[in-house]
């Protein structure tokens, strides 16, 4: 998993509340189990004018010109500015996979669905919860095509001469800074795991098929 320290980039707006995971990545794409390649299908049902299918060449599909991510100014956006209850619905981990594959490193919203929020940290995405008025400030600033900077070690968002502090759980912060997902966290305790297995094997050898 990629670590997260400081991200400076363009902000793309998702100006709707209760964006669920089926809107983020529709159900027909859940057949794939790899983490890559989902970015092309991010927000598929509102990003394109037709219904997408797995493996389809999206470069030839008709675009919804009213959808913000189809504007050239947001082509390289790395920060998504969303509304309340972002990521609600099913618990599919494909949702953060699609967002990360598209290029988003950070999502800012007034609130998130709990499972989606936790899945973001497991996939190298920083979800930040801010007050509505703070999000409005960032939105107005970013509308001028200006970049903003997100500093995780200092827990600060900087834009122009303005700074906004944000809160984050210390353990989740450590995992993002060090690029630790669940597997990496387990491997940190590999010596203890190996030692435990050896003890069990010596005490209960019938459990093993050596």
């Amino acid at each position: 998993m990629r670590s997260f320290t400081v991200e400076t980039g363009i902000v793309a707006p998702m100006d709707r509340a209760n964006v669920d995971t089926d809107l983020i990545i529709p159900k027909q794409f859940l057949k794939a189990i790899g983490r890559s390649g989902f970015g092309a299908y991010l927000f598929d049902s509102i990003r394109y004018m037709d219904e997408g299918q797995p493996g389809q060449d999206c470069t030839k599909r008709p675009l919804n010109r009213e959808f913000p991510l189809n504007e050239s100014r947001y082509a390289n956006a790395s920060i998504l500015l969303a509304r309340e209850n972002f990521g609600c619905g099913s618990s599919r981990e494909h949702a953060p996979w699609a967002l990360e594959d598209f290029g988003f490193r950070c999502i800012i919203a007034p609130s998130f669905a709990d499972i989606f929020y936790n899945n973001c940290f497991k996939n190298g995405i920083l979800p930040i919860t801010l007050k509505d008025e703070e999000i409005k400030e960032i939105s107005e600033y970013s509308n001028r095509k200006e970049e903003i900077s997100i500093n995780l070690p200092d827990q600060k968002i900087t834009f122009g001469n303005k700074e906004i502090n944000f809160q984050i759980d210390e353990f989740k912060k450590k995992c993002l800074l060090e690029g630790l997902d669940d597997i990496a966290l387990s491997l940190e305790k590999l010596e203890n795991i190996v030692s435990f297995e050896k003890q069990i094997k010596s005490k209960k050898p019938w459990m093993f098929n050596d």
Side-chain angles (χ1 to χ4, degrees), residues 6 26 108 142 166 175 204:
V6 177
I108 302 172
S142 61
F166 61 89
C175 289
K204 301 178 180 180

Side-chain angles (χ1 to χ4, degrees), residues 176-194:
L176 270 184
L177 287 172
E178 298 180 18
L180 301 173
D181 58 13
D182 287 348
I183 294 175
L185 286 169
S186 297
L187 290 175
E188 284 192 332
K189 302 184 183 298
L190 184 59
E191 289 186 7
N192 292 334
I193 294 170
V194 172

Side-chain angles (χ1 to χ4, degrees), residues 102-113:
F102 182 87
F104 287 118
R105 299 298 327 275
C106 177
I107 305 170
I108 302 172
S111 60
F112 295 90

Side-chain angles (χ1 to χ4, degrees), residues 125-161:
I125 297 174
L126 171 62
I128 297 176
T129 303
L130 294 180
K131 298 176 182 177
D132 286 328
E133 55 267 29
E134 294 173 324
I135 290 178
K136 183 179 179 182
E137 284 186 84
I138 295 173
S139 177
E140 291 174 349
Y141 180 84
S142 61
N143 280 339
R144 300 196 295 269
K145 302 182 181 180
E146 302 275 1
E147 291 185 332
I148 72 170
S149 183
I150 298 171
N151 186 309
L152 179 55
D154 295 338
Q155 297 179 211
K156 289 182 179 181
I157 302 173
T158 305
F159 51 103
N161 57 1

